[in-house]
Amino acid sequence: LGHAPVAGLNLRRIFSSHSHGGGDSNMMMMMPMTFYFGFKNVELLFSGLAINTAGEMAGTFVAVFLLVMFYEGLKIARESLLRKSQVSIWYNSMPVPGPNGTILMETHKTVGQQMLSFPHLLQTVLHIIQVVISYFLMLIFMIYNGYLCIAVAAGAGTGYFLFSWKKAVVVDITDHCH
């Protein structure tokens, strides 16, 4: 990374004027853009929250692993709460053509819930928590520390294994984001 002007920009000025809120404002802070395995000066989510020892990395690994398992459990819990809070059910029957010119009756079940209800408010709060946790996990993965990435993947797999085994699953192969 040179400091020659690129498209009219002086990269030295841009990087040297960037500060992380404390200390020397001329210090350049670069994030790794490739996976690495280390535990020295691994900044975690917030300025000042850094991993510096193997013990801190082990503790962070366990905490991230448990957070991801909680996230997987929260997804299943929300689905279960949604099923329990469904308050109105309508059955609609309609004729459909059958074999040899016969008419068959097809019945559809429609389920609804009320917007201004405690179950919907609870679902909203749990959704907010789920979204915040998912963004934290994404940012942790984007630190590119191999140990933390393994903690995210292993926690997701373990959480799915523990919480999703009763759930009837229809797999959508196009769904890559939770």
Side-chain angles (χ1 to χ4, degrees), residues 141-154:
F141 201 92
M142 289 178 63
I143 293 171
Y144 293 111
N145 182 282
Y147 299 120
L148 298 178
C149 292
I150 289 169
V152 170

Side-chain angles (χ1 to χ4, degrees), residues 46-118:
F46 300 102
S47 176
L49 183 60
I51 300 167
N52 290 306
T53 67
E56 289 173 353
M57 179 57 79
T60 304
F61 183 98
V62 170
V64 168
F65 180 86
L66 293 174
L67 180 64
V68 180
M69 283 182 48
F70 172 76
Y71 173 78
E72 290 293 329
L74 179 61
K75 290 191 312 185
I76 300 304
R78 284 191 57 225
E79 287 180 20
S80 176
L81 283 172
L82 182 62
R83 272 188 244 108
K84 289 178 184 175
S85 69
Q86 295 169 337
V87 293
S88 54
I89 300 174
W90 301 280
Y91 292 95
N92 300 322
S93 295
M94 57 190 305
V96 293
N100 300 327
T102 60
I103 301 291
L104 301 174
M105 292 303 284
E106 190 174 272
T107 303
H108 297 276
K109 181 171 121 175
T110 305
V111 180
Q113 86 177 42
Q114 297 174 343
M115 186 170 87
L116 297 176
S117 65
F118 178 74

Side-chain angles (χ1 to χ4, degrees), residues 109-171:
K109 181 171 121 175
T110 305
V111 180
Q113 86 177 42
Q114 297 174 343
M115 186 170 87
L116 297 176
S117 65
F118 178 74
H120 185 64
L121 177 64
L122 180 61
Q123 280 287 344
T124 302
V125 170
L126 292 176
H127 176 74
I128 292 168
I129 293 169
Q130 182 179 339
V131 167
V132 170
I133 291 172
S134 70
Y135 280 117
F136 278 168
L137 294 174
M138 177 195 64
L139 291 172
I140 289 169
F141 201 92
M142 289 178 63
I143 293 171
Y144 293 111
N145 182 282
Y147 299 120
L148 298 178
C149 292
I150 289 169
V152 170
T158 304
Y160 182 85
F161 179 79
L162 293 176
F163 298 116
S164 296
W165 66 276
K166 283 186 175 182
K167 181 178 121 175
V169 179
V170 176
V171 177

